[in-house]
Amino acid sequence: MDAKTYNAQLAELRALRDDIKKAQAALTKLETDRARQITALAGYEKAKAERIAPAAGLSLADVVAIAPILAPDRLTTAPAAAQTVPLPPTPQSVAGPEPTGLAEEPPARSGTVAPDMTRSTPEPVYGLPSEVSASDMPSAPTAVTGPATQAPEQCTTEPVTPPAVTPPTALAPPVRTGEQRDLPGVPEGPDGDRWFAHTANLTSTHPNFTQQARSTVFLDTQTGVLVHRDQTVRLDLPTASAAEILNTVFHVLPDGVERIYITAGAPWHRQADQHPFLKDAVGAWLNAPTPGWRTDTGRGKDRMAGHFVHPRNPVGRYQREHGEQHVEIRSAGEWFDTDGTEPAIIRDAFVLLWKALRRHWTDAVLMGSPSQTGRDLWTRTIPTKGQYADGYPVLSEELRGLFHATAGQGRTELITPPRVPQQLPALVEYDRTFAYAKHTWKAGVGTPRRVTAATFASWSQKEQTKALFASGHWHVRVTVPDTWNHVGILPAPAPGDRAWHYPAAPGTTFTTWAGGPEIHTALSNPLGPWKIEILDGILFDDGKPLDDWSKKLKEAWSSLTAQADLNGDPAQRTAAHLASRAVRAILLYGIGAFAQRPRTVTGTTPRTAERDVPTDAEIVGFNDETITWQRPTGFTRDPNAHPEWAAHIWSSARAALLSQRHRDDDTYAGALHTPPGTVVAFRTDAVYLTQPQPWPYHGQPGDYLNKGHLTGPVTAPGSEDELLALRDSGRTAQQPTTNHEAP
């Protein structure tokens, strides 16, 4: 073989590699669809693995591994020990491996039963659906076994045994051993105690500089309309490639700009049909050749360098080959839904947003994204006097990793037949207005304290209750009451990366991590307390690190919402409405930015230099010129990383979806205040029901707004896409209660 033949066969090998990657991607999608279908079939009470296996082309063992509830009874009636992994999480792998079968679990930690928390006011009485009798409802709180101060060594792990009778249709299937992934825990003894500290020399402090505004333009790549200040021009963009956009914009504006917002057209999706995944198409668009430009490597203290590959809202960062010109290409969809809005109105929305923020922050600057803007504005509310004048210290990397692995965000759950009727009498959507703003008044501060089961057991009931009311994150073993007939309360880890479900079947026991608000709801809900055993905990002092920031954003939101309702100019009404949505995004994504997830770096390497691809990188895309890859880099030394705050807010929001008190109206709202069997779905801040509810709405953060009502009979949705289609139909059918969709 000569060199020419060798190189030719290498080229053929690369082509085969590319074809294999595409085929593997297609196969993975088909296998995922098959597993989803098997899981759905397993929800049928008479489903049998023996019938599903041949239909799926799998063995019985494979089917049971996907849907453990289909396992024969002899494999599932044995006691199930609680899952605890006493290993510290690492930045690269903070979630434990998925269980592969019904193998034995490690011995459970001993726990201490938490005390009941009874409500001081009576609950509203609601009617029951015809298929649920009053005798099915608990007449008194379920007893919690064992005194509240029981010593850890006296507690025993109760078996998870399937109920002797068929559960009501409103219930979830029992959780079997092996159905949930492992969650990390704090190591026992001194190794774990060392986690409860702050990272040295890493503190959130008030900035000593003023942000610099960047010259910005707004571009619709479909029509070619470009808006710069009060100037509007039309560009010719036949391909809308990154190179074409950069060169055309800088030809029209020779003085240059620093940020280009794409308002419509999504040019990074134009060749989506040529790639197996949308993210691959975006990566190919960002990394296509840009003559005269190269990928930005950052400048000064600006660490935002390189492209950000996102399937819908990517960021391209470019720098002149020979010069100091830096420019970003971003999606205005990061801030709000731009569908059908002209670039000039979108620019007006940004101007109104800036003016509204300037009333509260004299040095406010709109940065590239809502999360960057939110974090920057928050740092400018850090006190310069008093207890936290030196700033807020950042947790140890181990605790940050633990929060990342154990604190989920919004609740997303679809309840399908037979747990709800096949034909729904109606589908009613209630969405919580500006929900997260309701839960920012309190958060944990100070050095975290570890609360072991033994420590918790040594406290009086009053001390235990006070701790569970405070800002904390708890490792618990949970048992659903035998009389339970409603939706689940606490999240349990489901198979898959960062996936959660909400067990509700009577007698189900599982181990999880949960925030104080959800623990409180489980112990004090209107239907009867759950059994909660404290295995370990992270407890903070209560503080208000986000209160000033949140109040200012809420005032800006209220002002812009009023403008959207009262302005006589339709264009300005739309601009004010979009600006109010942008304030919502600043708070929402600002909170998400506190969570500080482990970072993944995306890079490119020329196809002619494949050996330079990092050995620990995963190839995520390729074309004739370049290879796109990703590799994890773990946690950075981010001075504004506070996952404990994000976790507390997310837990509070999930708890409010179930039960929320309206003091002024002396009533409650939420899913647990509806008849059993009427909840169809949860979607972050929204709950979907089969009947309307008399919940108060005053337009305040956290209030439930009736946004859609689709009269029945309605076929119950079987997928997220079907739910969203019904949601849109319900919103269209619903007469609007205000001039604009509430944030």
Side-chain angles (χ1 to χ4, degrees):
M1 180 182 296
D2 56 18
K4 182 178 180 180
T5 305
Y6 176 76
N7 290 330
Q9 291 191 7
L10 273 180
E12 293 176 3
L13 186 60
R14 293 190 189 98
L16 282 173
R17 177 198 64 190
D18 296 349
D19 291 341
I20 290 171
K21 179 175 175 62
K22 292 178 182 178
Q24 286 175 335
L27 178 61
T28 299
K29 183 179 184 302
L30 290 172
E31 289 177 339
T32 300
D33 291 343
R34 179 174 63 183
R36 187 180 296 113
Q37 188 79 356
I38 290 172
T39 302
L41 289 170
Y44 178 54
E45 60 183 352
K46 296 182 180 180
K48 294 183 180 297
E50 292 83 355
R51 291 197 62 188
I52 295 176
L58 296 173
S59 67
L60 284 175
D62 291 335
V63 169
V64 170
I66 294 171
I69 193 169
L70 296 172
D73 290 342
R74 67 181 182 277
L75 296 180
T76 59
T77 54
Q83 295 179 328
T84 301
V85 182
L87 296 175
T90 63
Q92 289 77 18
S93 179
V94 289
E98 290 187 21
T100 56
L102 301 175
E104 291 187 9
E105 302 177 32
R109 280 185 178 178
S110 296
T112 299
V113 178
D116 293 355
M117 296 183 181
T118 57
R119 295 181 187 260
S120 58
T121 57
E123 297 300 329
V125 178
Y126 47 69
L128 301 179
S130 57
E131 65 269 21
V132 181
S133 66
S135 61
D136 291 327
M137 299 290 292
S139 57
T142 305
V144 177
T145 58
T149 56
Q150 187 177 8
E153 59 271 19
Q154 294 174 304
C155 296
T156 58
T157 304
E158 297 198 6
V160 183
T161 306
V165 296
T166 302
T169 58
L171 299 179
V175 177
R176 309 287 192 183
T177 304
E179 190 175 345
Q180 66 179 47
R181 72 181 189 279
D182 292 338
L183 291 179
V186 182
E188 300 278 10
D191 288 342
D193 294 340
R194 282 193 287 270
W195 290 19
F196 290 77
H198 292 119
T199 301
N201 304 316
L202 194 61
T203 304
S204 305
T205 56
H206 195 288
N208 57 4
F209 64 93
T210 301
Q211 284 287 358
Q212 297 300 308
R214 296 190 179 184
S215 176
T216 303
V217 299
F218 300 86
L219 174 63
D220 182 335
T221 59
Q222 281 182 321
T223 63
V225 173
L226 175 75
V227 175
H228 178 233
R229 297 178 182 169
D230 57 354
Q231 178 185 6
T232 300
V233 297
R234 190 176 295 273
L235 309 181
D236 183 22
L237 301 171
T239 66
S241 65
E244 187 176 69
I245 291 172
L246 290 169
N247 293 325
T248 306
V249 168
F250 277 83
H251 176 74
V252 174
L253 302 171
D255 291 338
V257 296
E258 296 177 276
R259 184 175 296 137
I260 301 171
Y261 276 122
I262 305 299
T263 64
W268 37 79
H269 291 164
R270 289 200 175 185
Q271 296 183 340
D273 57 345
Q274 301 178 19
H275 298 271
F277 298 108
L278 206 56
K279 199 170 183 179
D280 291 342
V282 172
W285 187 88
L286 290 171
N287 294 294
T290 51
W293 299 83
R294 58 183 173 84
T295 302
D296 198 348
T297 56
R299 49 179 165 165
K301 294 183 178 180
D302 186 359
R303 294 175 299 165
M304 304 303 292
H307 303 318
F308 173 63
V309 182
H310 185 277
R312 302 202 178 273
N313 296 314
V315 182
R317 300 185 178 97
Y318 302 92
Q319 181 180 354
R320 285 279 193 190
E321 283 283 7
H322 305 289
E324 292 301 318
Q325 183 67 56
H326 301 256
V327 62
E328 292 181 330
I329 299 178
R330 311 187 71 110
S331 169
E334 292 181 81
W335 294 84
F336 41 67
D337 184 1
T338 63
D339 187 30
T341 308
E342 298 176 1
I345 295 177
I346 291 176
R347 179 191 175 273
D348 289 345
F350 276 87
V351 172
L352 289 175
L353 172 64
W354 176 76
K355 289 180 178 179
L357 295 176
R358 278 274 172 155
R359 296 188 187 101
H360 303 284
W361 287 275
T362 57
D363 55 352
V365 170
L366 297 183
M367 303 181 71
S369 70
S371 62
Q372 291 172 326
T373 305
R375 288 252 295 241
D376 180 69
L377 293 177
W378 172 75
T379 62
R380 297 174 193 281
T381 64
I382 296 175
T384 56
K385 297 179 181 179
Q387 183 179 3
Y388 293 102
D390 293 332
Y392 296 98
V394 174
L395 295 180
S396 68
E397 185 169 325
E398 290 83 3
L399 280 187
R400 280 181 279 151
L402 184 71
F403 272 102
H404 169 69
T406 61
Q409 193 172 351
R411 178 169 182 168
T412 301
E413 181 182 19
L414 178 62
I415 301 172
T416 57
R419 296 169 61 193
V420 295
Q422 185 67 48
Q423 293 296 315
L424 307 178
L427 186 66
V428 189
E429 177 190 9
Y430 286 93
D431 187 51
R432 298 185 66 227
T433 296
F434 205 9
Y436 285 2
K438 174 80 172 179
H439 307 295
T440 52
W441 63 275
K442 181 179 81 169
V445 295
T447 303
R449 290 172 286 158
R450 182 176 190 177
V451 181
T452 63
T455 300
F456 191 83
S458 68
W459 290 347
S460 66
Q461 181 170 331
K462 181 178 180 180
E463 290 172 320
Q464 292 177 351
T465 301
K466 181 180 178 181
L468 295 175
F469 266 113
S471 300
H473 194 54
W474 300 94
H475 196 189
V476 292
R477 183 163 49 243
V478 183
T479 302
V480 182
D482 291 337
T483 55
W484 193 255
N485 64 349
H486 219 297
V487 297
I489 294 181
L490 293 173
D497 183 35
R498 295 187 61 77
W500 302 88
H501 61 171
Y502 295 81
T508 299
T509 296
F510 59 95
T511 302
T512 190
W513 282 85
E518 288 169 291
I519 297 292
H520 177 261
T521 300
L523 294 170
S524 67
N525 70 82
L527 304 181
W530 287 29
K531 179 182 176 182
I532 307 292
E533 297 174 78
I534 304 298
L535 307 177
D536 215 338
I538 306 168
L539 191 62
F540 297 89
D541 295 331
D542 285 338
K544 295 180 176 289
L546 304 175
D547 194 44
D548 185 31
W549 173 70
S550 177
K551 283 179 178 177
K552 291 178 177 179
L553 290 176
K554 283 185 281 189
E555 289 175 10
W557 170 78
S558 297
S559 172
L560 291 166
T561 301
Q563 290 183 56
D565 289 336
L566 302 175
N567 199 301
D569 183 344
Q572 287 301 300
R573 284 203 305 269
T574 299
H577 171 63
L578 294 179
S580 72
R581 299 292 293 176
V583 174
R584 174 188 178 275
I586 287 173
L587 185 135
L588 176 68
Y589 295 115
I591 290 168
F594 285 123
Q596 199 223 12
R597 295 170 177 83
R599 292 200 176 186
T600 300
V601 171
T602 301
T604 60
T605 300
R607 290 286 290 262
T608 56
E610 290 185 27
R611 295 178 182 177
D612 295 336
V613 175
T615 55
D616 59 344
E618 175 191 2
I619 295 176
V620 296
F622 41 79
N623 56 32
D624 293 339
E625 303 292 334
T626 60
I627 298 171
T628 304
W629 47 265
Q630 288 182 342
R631 68 182 179 89
T633 60
F635 292 106
T636 61
R637 283 185 59 83
D638 184 350
N640 297 321
H642 293 284
E644 69 277 17
W645 299 347
H648 181 80
I649 293 169
W650 294 339
S651 177
S652 299
R654 291 193 300 268
L657 274 180
L658 300 172
S659 183
Q660 172 178 282
R661 186 181 180 189
H662 291 261
R663 295 182 184 276
D664 293 342
D665 299 279
D666 192 26
T667 188
Y668 286 86
L672 292 180
H673 302 277
T674 65
T678 60
V679 180
V680 178
F682 296 95
R683 187 171 170 80
T684 309
D685 301 329
V687 59
Y688 297 81
L689 308 171
T690 62
Q691 56 184 243
Q693 301 296 318
W695 295 338
Y697 183 77
H698 305 295
Q700 296 300 309
D703 286 359
Y704 280 89
L705 173 65
N706 181 196
K707 291 180 68 173
H709 189 157
L710 197 61
T711 56
V714 178
T715 301
S719 66
E720 182 182 27
D721 289 341
E722 292 178 8
L723 174 67
L724 295 180
L726 292 174
R727 178 201 66 181
D728 294 342
S729 298
R731 289 181 179 181
T732 301
Q734 171 82 2
Q735 290 294 328
T737 55
T738 62
N739 290 334
H740 300 280
E741 175 188 354

